[in-house]
Amino acid sequence: MIDAHLHLDQYTAEEIDRFIEQWRNAGIEGVVAVSKDLASSYRTLELKQQYPDFVYAAVGHHPEQPPPDESDANELLALIECEREQISAVGEVGLPHYSLDKWGTDLLEKQRALLAAFIREAKKLDLPLALHAVHDKVQPVLDMLLSDKIERAHFHWLKADSQTLQEVFDSGYSLSLTPEVCYRERDKEVARLAPLEQMMIETDGPWPFSGPFEGIPTTPMFLKDVVRKIAELKNCPETKIMEQTVKNTKKIYGER
């Protein structure tokens, strides 16, 4: 199994070495480590150097926080070019949804411009995009991808109406399911609708979950539960889910 979306840099240095050994022993063969800002991107690249055969490094700026100033934005874009051989994706990038009430609509336009720059960079360097786009922000992000003829994009923790979901699938883009699929009907419905050939699994760790995961620190150890539930919803063997999601993740992010 591969965790297709994880904030590895948000675990403590003391935890990471111990966790990675534990995860490997549990059948986790890698994680896509996304970044939330410039400092996070540098830390993710450090972790890539420490664990080169386990970490897929993604560099980007999370859209739910204020955009970087011009200097940091330029440094991020330059970092992607400079470290192209160590980077598997541009991410986490996208458009804000949850923070608009806090930061105002001005944030949306600034993040839209930043996303456009990240899309251009990804296309130029032939890198996939690890995307944060939910609810009514899926369609505008999808429109941007199609306008730039982007071939590889991953909508993490995808939340949208059924028509928009189908547009994402028809466009050939990928999605990933989180532990919420084990207890939330909305996510179960996404699992039922999504083509298995475009599906990945993730935890978004260390983000906390509810349901059977209430109070348990989030790690890729949750992936077995995700696989079990998807297998039930898709009415197919767990081994098929594991094999296909690994194949799909490597198709998007390549080999380490």
Side-chain angles (χ1 to χ4, degrees):
M1 295 174 288
I2 298 175
D3 193 323
H5 192 96
L6 181 81
H7 294 267
L8 188 61
D9 69 296
Q10 293 183 22
Y11 295 92
T12 68
E14 292 74 19
E15 288 175 324
I16 289 174
D17 193 55
R18 172 170 52 87
F19 277 168
I20 288 181
E21 181 180 3
Q22 179 187 25
W23 299 342
R24 286 186 193 273
N25 291 336
I28 312 299
E29 63 176 270
V31 299
V32 179
V34 296
S35 304
K36 67 175 185 177
D37 55 24
L38 182 59
S40 171
S41 295
Y42 277 115
R43 176 58 178 151
T44 297
L45 288 170
E46 289 177 1
L47 292 167
K48 170 65 177 177
Q49 291 179 334
Q50 287 180 253
Y51 310 98
D53 63 341
F54 191 79
V55 172
Y56 294 83
V59 168
H61 187 94
H62 198 295
E64 296 290 357
Q65 57 188 359
D69 61 27
E70 184 177 357
S71 176
D72 280 3
N74 289 337
E75 188 171 347
L76 262 173
L77 295 170
L79 183 63
I80 295 170
E81 292 209 23
C82 180
E83 299 293 340
R84 170 63 181 87
E85 296 308 310
Q86 298 299 314
I87 293 173
S88 296
V90 175
E92 177 172 359
V93 298
L95 292 181
H97 177 81
Y98 303 110
S99 58
L100 289 178
D101 288 343
K102 178 179 180 181
W103 301 110
T105 55
D106 186 46
L107 173 66
L108 180 60
E109 293 312 309
K110 289 180 178 178
Q111 292 289 25
R112 192 189 306 273
L114 183 61
L115 176 58
F118 281 131
I119 289 175
R120 290 193 297 270
E121 195 69 21
K123 184 174 183 178
K124 180 172 72 171
L125 299 176
D126 190 26
L127 284 167
L129 289 142
L131 295 164
H132 171 95
V134 297
H135 303 301
D136 63 338
K137 304 307 181 297
V138 176
Q139 189 66 57
V141 170
L142 180 59
D143 292 343
M144 293 173 75
L145 297 175
L146 293 173
S147 176
D148 278 289
K149 297 180 171 59
I150 296 299
E151 295 183 0
R152 290 184 294 157
H154 165 203
F155 286 81
H156 109 90
W157 207 335
L158 182 57
K159 311 173 186 74
D161 61 81
S162 58
Q163 180 178 338
T164 306
L165 287 173
Q166 193 59 53
E167 287 188 52
V168 171
F169 306 149
D170 290 345
S171 300
Y173 299 131
S174 300
L175 79 154
S176 51
L177 292 162
T178 75
E180 278 201 342
V181 75
C182 297
Y183 61 91
R184 188 161 184 170
E185 188 56 42
R186 177 195 65 198
D187 297 73
K188 292 177 184 179
E189 185 60 21
V190 173
R192 294 186 187 101
L193 292 172
L196 183 55
E197 294 74 20
Q198 291 166 255
M199 184 185 295
M200 294 178 279
I201 53 177
E202 62 151 301
T203 63
D204 200 23
W207 183 268
F209 288 90
S210 301
F213 311 101
E214 184 77 41
I216 305 172
T218 300
T219 78
M221 298 296 284
F222 289 0
L223 291 180
K224 287 185 178 180
D225 298 279
V226 176
V227 166
R228 188 177 302 115
K229 177 54 69 172
I230 295 172
E232 175 189 319
L233 295 167
K234 290 290 196 186
N235 192 28
C236 68
E238 291 179 28
T239 53
K240 173 65 174 176
I241 302 298
M242 287 190 283
E243 291 169 1
Q244 189 64 51
T245 55
V246 167
K247 181 179 179 180
N248 297 342
T249 307
K250 290 181 176 181
K251 182 178 179 181
I252 293 288
Y253 292 107
E255 299 286 347
R256 291 170 305 280

